[in-house]
């Protein structure tokens, strides 16, 4: 059997086994990489797996950000910040959906990533109880904010997308991010008007203000360090990994949290998922699998349809597997290969479709973000109805983004 075909079959089996067996696809990918090299690629050394395949830069950026915000999330700093921002709406219920969206977006974009969703979701459901706003609408606001903010240049998914795009020869990441964020905000407006956000009445904000505790010394220190880290990265151009690690180390030295507890806040499953899939994809690439996919797509992709098709493929894959751990690491290199081979298509336009498609279907009940938010709807909620609506929202979002891909909007700044 052709080695390129074999590597793709192994890749598909790895993803399916991970989903069906509910085990970390990254760990399965490391095993699959080991088997491929040991039995089918004798010219490749096993040490090449971590010398060439392990995403050192991305891994350390993710680890540093997860460590810093793990400390902030565990000691309650982020919860207080969230409640204080919410109080700014002063009881105007019709503004609450936008406040929730902005809160979710800003906290996710600042580096915390979509992991802020459970915390914001709990606050959002409390707001629904006070105001009578639709729980589904508020849940979608949380998801859109967390997903779109998670692609910012300093958030985990954004770091992955930016680094992969750079490897594919595209350096202007903001040109890939902004059309996606704008399209997601269009979905915010649509959901807001469809589910009665504009009809909500003003309510007393006294209870909300009274529920906000005062920050203790450690929480103030945490907030100050996070603000410094964010400003240093954005305005001074300091390295994300070293700056975030330094911030986390400073908090530990200040006694904000014990080092063992701080390390335990890191989501190691996410790190292993991304690193393991990177490793397998590098092996598949060595076997010619990425080039084979590119050749197949080239036969029926045209310059006009390329971005739309890549958006559709990314969106469909993202409904059943990780966007940052599987879809983007797989299809961004494919997009780079296609751009090199197809005249009239730029790598940046294809990558804009891949990144947007991979992150437009995060409402899906089978995704981490979708399942996490569905689980946090209050007791008495019709789960079947919520599940069905999330599926409908997922399908609508994929169709919407695919049309934007075909129209050229996603590659507007590419």
């Amino acid at each position: 059997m052709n080695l390129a075909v074999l590597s793709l079959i192994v890749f598909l089996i790895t993803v399916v086994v991970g989903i069906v067996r509910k085990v970390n696809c990254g760990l399965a990918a490391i095993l699959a990489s080991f088997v491929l090299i040991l039995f089918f690629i004798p010219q490749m050394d096993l040490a090449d797996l971590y010398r060439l395949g392990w995403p050192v830069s991305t891994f350390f950026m993710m680890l540093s950000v997860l460590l810093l915000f793990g400390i902030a999330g565990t000691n309650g700093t982020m919860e207080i910040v969230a409640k204080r921002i919410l109080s700014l709406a002063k009881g105007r219920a019709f503004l609450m959906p936008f406040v929730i969206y902005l809160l979710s977006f800003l906290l996710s974009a600042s580096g915390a990533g979509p992991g802020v969703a459970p915390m914001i979701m709990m606050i959002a459901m409390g707001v629904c109880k006070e105001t009578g706003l639709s729980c589904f609408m508020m849940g979608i606001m949380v998801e859109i904010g967390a997903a779109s903010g998670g692609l910012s240049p300093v958030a985990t998914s954004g770091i992955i997308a930016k680094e992969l795009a750079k490897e594919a020869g595209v350096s202007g990441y903001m040109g890939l991010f902004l059309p996606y964020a704008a399209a997601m905000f269009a979905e915010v407006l649509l959901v807001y008007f469809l589910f009665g956000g504009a009809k909500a009445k003003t309510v007393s904000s006294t209870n909300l203000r009274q529920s906000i505790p005062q920050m203790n010394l450690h929480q103030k220190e945490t907030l100050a360090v996070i603000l410094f880290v964010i400003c240093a990265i954005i305005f001074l151009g300091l390295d994300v990994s070293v700056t975030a690690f330094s911030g986390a180390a400073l908090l530990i030295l200040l006694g904000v949290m014990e080092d063992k507890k701080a390390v335990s806040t890191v989501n190691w499953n996410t790190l292993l998922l991304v690193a393991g899939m990177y490793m397998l994809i590098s092996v598949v690439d060595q076997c010619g699998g990425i080039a084979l996919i590119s050749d197949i797509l080239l036969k029926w992709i045209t310059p006009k349809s390329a971005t739309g098709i890549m958006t559709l493929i990314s969106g469909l894959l993202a409904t059943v597997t990780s966007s940052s751990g599987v879809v983007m690491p797989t299809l961004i290199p494919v997009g780079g290969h296609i751009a090199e081979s197809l005249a009239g298509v730029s790598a940046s336009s294809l990558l804009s479709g891949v990144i947007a498609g991979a992150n437009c279907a995060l409402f899906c009940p089978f995704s981490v973000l979708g399942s996490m938010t569905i689980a946090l709807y209050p007791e008495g909620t019709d789960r079947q109805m919520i599940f069905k609506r999330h599926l409908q929202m997922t399908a609508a979002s994929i169709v919407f983004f695919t049309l934007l891909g075909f129209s050229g909007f996603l590659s507007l700044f590419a």
Side-chain angles (χ1 to χ4, degrees):
M1 182 183 292
N2 183 288
L3 189 57
V5 175
L6 176 65
S7 68
L8 290 174
I9 291 172
V10 170
F11 176 82
L12 290 173
I13 291 172
T14 301
V15 174
V16 170
V17 167
I19 294 170
V20 173
R21 297 278 296 167
K22 296 182 179 178
V23 297
N24 191 308
C25 284
L27 293 175
I30 293 173
L31 175 60
S33 303
F34 172 80
V35 170
L36 275 172
I37 289 179
L38 193 62
F39 296 105
F40 300 102
I41 321 175
Q43 69 272 22
M44 221 178 146
D45 193 276
L46 283 173
D48 290 336
L49 277 176
Y50 55 84
R51 280 204 300 261
L52 304 175
W54 192 267
V56 177
S57 176
T58 302
F59 182 85
F60 278 103
M61 273 195 262
M62 289 175 63
L63 177 58
S64 63
V65 169
L66 289 171
L67 179 62
L68 178 61
F69 280 90
I71 295 172
T74 303
N75 73 2
T77 302
M78 302 308 285
E79 182 179 353
I80 294 175
V81 169
K83 287 186 175 181
R84 286 183 185 274
I85 294 173
L86 272 177
S87 68
L88 297 177
K90 297 181 179 179
R92 297 183 181 92
F94 65 91
L95 291 178
M96 289 294 189
F98 294 111
V99 173
I100 286 289
Y101 160 75
L102 284 172
L103 179 60
S104 186
F105 177 87
L106 292 173
L107 292 181
S108 180
S110 69
V116 301
M119 176 184 68
I120 308 300
M121 187 68 178
M122 296 304 293
I123 297 171
M125 293 303 100
V127 170
C128 290
K129 184 177 179 182
E130 294 289 331
T131 62
L133 288 165
S134 163
C135 289
F136 172 74
M137 175 183 68
M138 296 294 270
I140 292 295
M141 295 295 174
V142 172
E143 289 172 314
I144 292 178
S148 49
L151 273 181
S152 83
V154 295
T156 307
S157 294
I159 290 168
I160 293 169
K162 182 174 67 175
E163 291 298 307
L164 287 167
K166 193 182 295 182
E167 290 173 13
V170 178
S171 57
Y173 178 70
M174 290 305 291
L176 306 179
F177 170 66
L178 290 176
Y180 164 77
M184 289 295 267
F185 185 69
E187 291 189 354
V188 165
L189 294 175
L190 182 63
V191 171
Y192 177 78
F193 287 107
L194 279 178
F195 292 91
K199 298 177 182 177
K201 298 178 181 178
T202 301
V203 295
S204 171
S205 59
T206 305
N207 292 339
L208 181 60
R209 288 198 301 270
Q210 290 176 346
S211 70
I212 304 174
Q214 292 295 314
M215 279 191 174
N216 59 38
L217 177 60
H218 286 334
Q219 289 168 335
K220 290 177 181 177
E221 291 170 342
T222 302
L223 181 59
V225 168
I226 286 176
L227 289 174
F228 171 77
V229 168
I230 293 170
C231 290
I233 291 169
I234 294 175
F235 299 112
L236 301 180
L238 298 187
D239 180 78
V240 174
S241 303
V242 177
T243 309
F245 266 130
S246 299
L250 178 59
L251 290 177
I252 291 170
L253 289 173
L254 289 171
V256 170
M257 188 173 289
E258 293 180 359
D259 54 354
K260 289 182 180 178
K261 188 175 180 182
V263 171
S264 70
T265 66
V266 174
N267 188 338
W268 293 98
N269 277 332
T270 300
L271 287 169
L272 288 172
L273 169 65
V274 172
M277 291 307 298
Y278 264 66
M279 188 177 283
L280 178 56
I281 289 161
S282 71
V283 175
V284 171
D285 193 20
Q286 289 286 323
C287 294
I290 300 296
L292 178 61
I293 295 174
S294 302
D295 291 341
I296 292 170
L297 289 174
L298 277 170
K299 291 178 181 178
W300 50 283
I301 276 182
T302 65
K304 289 185 178 180
S305 67
T307 303
I309 289 173
M310 293 301 286
T311 306
L312 177 61
I313 293 171
S314 300
L316 293 175
L317 284 176
T319 63
V320 294
T321 189
S322 168
S323 60
S324 56
V326 178
V327 182
M328 290 195 295
T330 304
L331 292 184
I332 286 178
V334 169
H337 277 279
I338 291 174
E340 290 175 2
S341 307
L342 187 62
V345 176
S346 68
S348 55
S349 65
L350 288 181
L351 267 53
S352 67
V354 171
I355 292 169
N359 293 276
C360 75
L362 296 179
F363 320 102
C364 183
F366 312 124
S367 71
V368 174
L369 181 59
S371 60
M372 195 162 48
T373 51
I374 287 173
L376 293 173
Y377 279 94
E379 298 238 356
T381 302
D382 185 342
R383 303 277 168 182
Q384 287 294 104
M385 180 271 292
I386 291 293
F387 186 89
K388 182 180 177 182
R389 281 186 175 176
H390 271 75
L391 283 176
Q392 292 169 339
M393 186 71 193
T394 302
S397 187
I398 292 173
V399 170
F400 176 55
F401 271 85
T402 299
L403 292 174
L404 291 179
F406 280 115
S407 72
F409 177 82
L410 294 179
S411 52
L412 200 59
F413 304 112

